Amino acid sequence: SRPILDMSYSRHFLDFQGSSIPSSMKKLVVTKLSQNFREAVTLQQDVPVPLPGDGDLLVRNRFVGINASDINYSAGRYDASVKPPFDIGFEGVGDVVALGLSASADYTVGQAVAYMKAGSFAEYTVVPARHAVPLPSVKPEFLTLMVSGATAYISLKELGNLSEGKKVLVTAAAGGTGQFAVQLAKKAKCHVIGTCSSDEKGGFLKSIGCDRTINYKTENVEYVLRKDYPEGVDVVYESVGGKMFDLALNSLAIKGRLIVIGFIAGYQNPTGLQPIKAELLPAKLLKKSASIQGFFLNHYLSEYKMALTHLLAMYERGDLVCEVDFGDMSLEGKFTGLESVFRAVDYMYVGKNIGKIVVELPHSVNSKL
């Protein structure tokens, strides 16, 4: 038996606003492994709403985050042993609408929470209470911190060795995680350079403290870095891959550090990789006593709660901009409903977004009061 609080004695149970939680819901499921998200993922309509176990919360998702790695996950690149069908989506923000008895020691129905867990692309998700993060309210800005903000915070803290006056290059700087790398490096009193693909993105980067923006569509990144930073950059926060990786590697200063948090340029390729000029890599690193290190958030979960606590406090104090992109400027308008996740992924891969791409899941409450 799995005891559930706040259930009526009928086949429906009641949420905190007196509305009925349905017996079925929509969710996205990976039904075929492919780097083409639209081919890999299916929107399923009449899936039973899951029931939370003793230590679980049932969260009604209000906002879900889009990540570049969603495509890696749907292509089966993270765990070759996992076979379709499986749930997708890494993060969500919503309301607790039911919970198990043990979970009720720390949470209540109606509470706003955020979480990082596979399966967020659904109207309702069961989340272990120990993995949930209580929030003061349901706001999409909080969602930006779960994966994107935490990745920037922990990687720069653990691997960046930031200190005053260091030169930090952030690639895809106006994106979901780049925006945080820029701000956190500035708070460490570094000089920050950000690459982006439009003057509009450049304006946003300057507004959050970026010292030098490079629009790679209109400027030669290699030339700018060689001319303006002849001694190189001390830290690179790199998420693009391919040619940008090579440029970043070549621009490292003596004892420079290159942190790889992704390689989005290769995610939609069948192999997942674009070639880099790695033959000279040992010589390049030796020549500069430089280093390259990968960062994958799942390997640093021991630091996760601490990082989120700091980031949430910074946002609440007004010390951190959490830019959200709902796709209002996309051709078909705002990303609303699970069916728009497909558009949101496409939007990210053509590089249109400024900040974190978020999809809103509307919920109509039929109050019984």
Side-chain angles (χ1 to χ4, degrees):
S1 65
R2 299 196 297 172
I4 306 224
L5 294 186
D6 297 284
M7 288 188 69
S8 72
Y9 293 106
S10 69
R11 58 195 175 86
H12 293 292
F13 46 98
L14 302 179
D15 74 6
F16 66 102
Q17 289 173 307
S19 64
S20 176
I21 295 176
S23 56
S24 64
M25 66 171 188
K26 297 178 186 176
K27 74 173 180 176
L28 294 183
V29 177
V30 176
T31 51
K32 171 188 174 185
L33 297 183
S34 171
Q35 74 283 351
N36 182 325
F37 191 81
R38 289 178 180 270
E39 283 185 8
V41 178
T42 302
L43 174 62
Q44 297 187 346
Q45 299 279 354
D46 294 310
V47 181
V49 172
L51 295 180
D54 181 59
D56 297 333
L57 311 174
L58 180 64
V59 177
R60 183 176 67 209
N61 294 314
R62 298 270 297 280
F63 300 101
V64 295
I66 304 298
N67 291 284
S69 48
D70 288 329
I71 278 187
N72 277 345
Y73 196 59
S74 64
R77 291 183 184 134
Y78 286 154
D79 186 350
S81 68
V82 178
K83 304 300 180 190
F86 55 85
D87 297 346
I88 191 167
F90 291 128
E91 56 190 342
V93 166
D95 308 298
V96 175
V97 292
L99 69 172
L101 285 173
S102 297
S104 68
D106 299 303
Y107 290 91
T108 60
V109 165
Q111 191 161 355
V113 294
Y115 64 89
M116 181 180 70
K117 174 185 178 290
S120 70
F121 291 166
E123 291 177 326
Y124 294 85
T125 302
V126 168
V127 179
R130 67 184 184 279
H131 293 159
V133 179
L135 300 175
S137 60
V138 174
K139 292 171 71 172
E141 286 79 8
F142 292 127
L143 187 58
T144 67
L145 303 175
M146 298 304 295
V147 172
S148 300
T151 294
Y153 185 100
I154 299 171
S155 65
L156 290 174
K157 176 177 176 287
E158 296 291 318
L159 311 178
N161 195 25
L162 301 184
S163 59
E164 185 172 355
K166 287 201 173 178
K167 296 181 283 293
V168 178
L169 170 65
V170 180
T171 63
T177 190
Q179 64 171 327
F180 295 110
V182 168
Q183 294 177 81
L184 294 170
K186 281 304 294 180
K187 291 187 186 306
K189 300 183 178 177
C190 298
H191 176 92
V192 183
I193 310 131
T195 69
C196 60
S197 60
S198 71
D199 291 339
E200 184 187 7
K201 291 185 179 186
F204 166 68
L205 289 173
K206 286 172 184 170
S207 77
I208 59 172
C210 198
D211 297 290
R212 174 68 161 97
T213 62
I214 307 174
N215 180 347
Y216 64 80
K217 294 282 182 72
T218 59
E219 297 178 89
N220 183 310
V221 178
E222 185 177 18
Y223 173 78
V224 170
L225 290 173
R226 199 184 309 124
K227 175 172 135 323
D228 293 355
Y229 305 95
E231 294 183 2
V233 296
D234 301 296
V235 178
V236 182
Y237 186 82
E238 216 295 278
S239 61
V240 176
K243 292 178 181 176
M244 188 63 80
F245 175 91
D246 286 322
L247 286 175
L249 175 64
N250 293 336
S251 70
L252 284 176
I254 301 296
K255 298 182 182 177
R257 298 160 178 258
L258 196 160
I259 304 170
V260 177
I261 63 110
F263 46 96
I264 190 172
Y267 290 178
Q268 288 187 308
N269 290 352
T271 63
L273 287 169
Q274 285 192 334
I276 56 171
K277 297 174 182 174
E279 306 88 19
L280 301 176
L281 185 59
K284 288 179 177 180
L285 296 179
L286 179 64
K287 180 181 175 183
K288 296 178 176 179
S289 293
S291 64
I292 301 174
Q293 190 157 352
F295 177 89
F296 187 48
L297 184 58
N298 286 8
H299 298 150
Y300 288 83
L301 293 181
S302 60
E303 306 291 312
Y304 186 72
K305 284 272 177 141
M306 173 274 300
L308 266 190
T309 300
H310 283 196
L311 290 166
L312 286 165
M314 289 170 70
Y315 174 70
E316 290 283 89
R317 289 196 308 267
D319 290 341
L320 196 65
V321 172
C322 298
E323 188 69 16
V324 174
D325 191 333
F326 278 117
D328 294 291
M329 305 308 292
S330 65
L331 285 176
E332 295 175 57
K334 183 176 178 179
F335 302 133
T336 304
L338 285 173
E339 51 279 356
S340 69
V341 167
F342 299 97
R343 284 200 300 120
V345 169
D346 291 342
Y347 181 75
M348 174 175 51
Y349 276 90
V350 294
K352 295 291 188 184
N353 60 298
I354 296 179
K356 173 82 177 184
I357 301 176
V358 173
V359 174
E360 182 173 6
L361 304 185
H363 180 78
S364 58
V365 175
N366 302 314
S367 179
K368 295 182 178 180
L369 302 179

